[in-house]
Amino acid sequence: MSDRHRRSAALTRSRRRRKDAPARARYRVARIESLAPGESLKFMLPIRGADEECFLINFGGEFHAYVNRCRHVPMAMDWVDNQFFAEDGRYLMCQTHNAYYEPASGECIGGPPTACGKFLYRVPTEIEDGVIYARPPQDEFED
C-alpha cells in the first residue's frame, strides 16, 4: 500500500475488505430503544470494497445515518469519540473544522466556504421490528 493510500485510509478511517459485500445487503446497526433523541452511534459499513466508519443519530425521534466524513476535508467529524451534536442538539458539527450540518438533511449550513451547501454522505436506513438496518449507499461520492 502506498503512503498516499495509507494516509487516506487513516484520515477517513477506512479499511480495505477482502471481498465486496453484496450490493443490496443490509446490516444491523442498533435497536431503536438503544438510541435516545440527541444521541449518536458509530458503526462500520462496507462501502466500495472498504469498511467505512459511519454514524447513526436520533434527531427528534427520527433516525438518520451518514458516512463519518466532513465535506471540508475528508476526515472524521468527531475528534471526541462519538460526539457529533452541537448547539444543544440542533446541529451536527465537525469538531475539527467547525462546519455545522443540519441533522435531518446533512446539509452544511455554516463553516468553511468550501463545505457550505454540500451534504454529508447519507447512508440509507430502514427499521424493521424495532431494529435499525443500514445499507451501503448506491450513489458514488468523493473521497
Side-chain angles (χ1 to χ4, degrees), residues 6 8 32-33 41 48 51 61 65-66 72 88 113 122:
R6 251 191 295 282
S8 176
I32 57 173
E33 65 269 8
L41 173 71
R48 298 183 305 180
D51 283 339
Y66 301 100
H72 174 234
D88 298 323
R122 183 174 292 280

Side-chain angles (χ1 to χ4, degrees), residues 66-82:
Y66 301 100
V67 174
N68 188 8
R69 186 176 300 163
C70 181
R71 290 305 310 272
H72 174 234
V73 173
M75 59 188 300
M77 291 180 41
D78 61 326
W79 61 270
V80 174
D81 194 37
N82 206 32

